[in-house]
Amino acid sequence: DAKTTQPTSMDCAEGRAANLPCNHSTISGNEYVYWYRQIHSQGPQYIIHGLKNNETNEMASLIITEDRKSSTLILPHATLRDTAVYYCILQGGATNKLIFGTGTLLAVQP
Amino acid sequence: NAGVMQNPRHLVRRRGQEARLRCSPMKGHSHVYWYRQLPEEGLKFMVYLQKENIIDESGMPKERFSAEFPKEGPSILRIQQVVRGDSAAYFCASSPPGPSTDTQYFGPGTRLTVL
């Protein structure tokens, strides 16, 4: 079973910031928080990851709480092309396999 | 640097036939993973391979499914005697040699339809 919980769906207006939350209260010390997204049955696309510090790249920002029990993915200026299912996944520890939950369906509205 | 490549992109088989799905990892990547996504369901891990070795096959069905990643050439996921329930999207991912926290990069998938 996935060790993360995410809202099933969210809406966001085009051009606004999209903030996607993720809870991972049982995260282990050596597990990273990874975010992927899947646009309409395409292959999952890597977005960003972090261990304990906040991270930013050209796609998004990742905010991880100090206790590491939750995180937020921020898409600063959402576009229609950002409509996708977003997955928050813990990676590391004893296994390499990714365990996908149900993710959050982000619908960007015009 | 080309991404992960999978072929064919679409494959149609009749019940009882064999399906072979190929995955070429990104250049420099020696770890390959296969995931399956059944219609209207989430992605499920199947198998993790390194060159010539199966590292974790905990997600593979016990019968009819096999995977290999030879020293030369692509990784192959083989499904023998396909049934309608095998219809799904099969995604391959690769990562560089290194710790379990390395990023996995996914291919576009092979959509298998069993008639």
Side-chain angles (χ1 to χ4, degrees):
Chain A
D1 290 343
K3 294 178 62 178
T4 62
T5 55
Q6 301 176 250
T8 302
S9 62
M10 293 181 64
D11 287 345
C12 177
E14 189 176 18
R16 305 296 294 269
N19 296 278
L20 290 86
C22 179
N23 288 319
H24 32 80
S25 58
T26 61
I27 189 170
S28 302
N30 57 354
E31 287 182 312
Y32 283 70
V33 180
Y34 269 78
W35 284 83
Y36 289 83
R37 72 180 182 184
Q38 188 175 27
I39 298 173
H40 189 54
S41 300
Q42 295 179 20
Q45 179 187 21
Y46 164 75
I47 301 173
I48 198 169
H49 73 281
L51 183 62
K52 54 183 178 181
N53 297 321
N54 297 337
E55 301 288 343
T56 295
N57 63 19
E58 65 277 5
M59 288 183 68
S61 294
L62 174 61
I63 309 297
I64 303 174
T65 58
E66 192 168 346
D67 63 7
R68 304 214 316 128
K69 293 184 176 182
S70 65
S71 59
T72 301
L73 177 74
I74 301 172
L75 306 179
H77 305 287
T79 71
L80 297 179
R81 287 192 297 270
D82 291 322
T83 293
V85 178
Y86 287 76
Y87 296 99
C88 168
I89 300 171
L90 302 184
Q91 184 172 346
T95 178
N96 288 43
K97 63 186 178 187
L98 300 180
I99 299 175
F100 288 83
T102 53
T104 296
L105 174 58
L106 176 67
V108 180
Q109 310 290 344
Chain B
N1 187 8
V4 177
M5 298 172 65
Q6 293 188 248
N7 66 82
R9 296 290 304 277
H10 300 273
L11 182 62
V12 179
R13 286 287 178 266
R14 297 190 180 279
R15 282 177 297 169
Q17 292 184 319
E18 179 179 286
R20 283 189 180 230
L21 288 64
R22 287 176 290 277
C23 169
S24 296
M26 289 178 68
K27 186 176 181 180
H29 286 193
S30 58
H31 297 194
V32 165
Y33 313 80
W34 287 92
Y35 295 82
R36 177 168 69 172
Q37 188 169 33
L38 295 168
E40 307 303 323
E41 293 190 17
L43 292 109
K44 302 291 185 187
F45 167 81
M46 299 181 74
V47 62
Y48 160 41
L49 310 101
Q50 296 177 14
K51 284 286 188 181
E52 300 185 281
N53 287 303
I54 296 175
I55 306 302
D56 181 353
E57 56 181 347
S58 58
M60 286 278 271
K62 293 291 184 285
E63 298 178 347
R64 302 186 298 108
F65 285 71
S66 63
E68 63 176 8
F69 188 18
K71 187 176 179 181
E72 301 290 338
S75 175
I76 306 288
L77 180 67
R78 181 183 179 203
I79 311 172
Q80 296 178 289
Q81 299 174 338
V82 296
V83 301
R84 290 219 173 104
D86 297 331
S87 294
Y90 292 83
F91 294 99
C92 166
S94 73
S95 67
S100 61
T101 51
D102 275 338
T103 301
Q104 296 183 23
Y105 295 91
F106 283 79
T110 294
R111 276 145 191 84
L112 172 66
T113 301
V114 179
L115 302 177

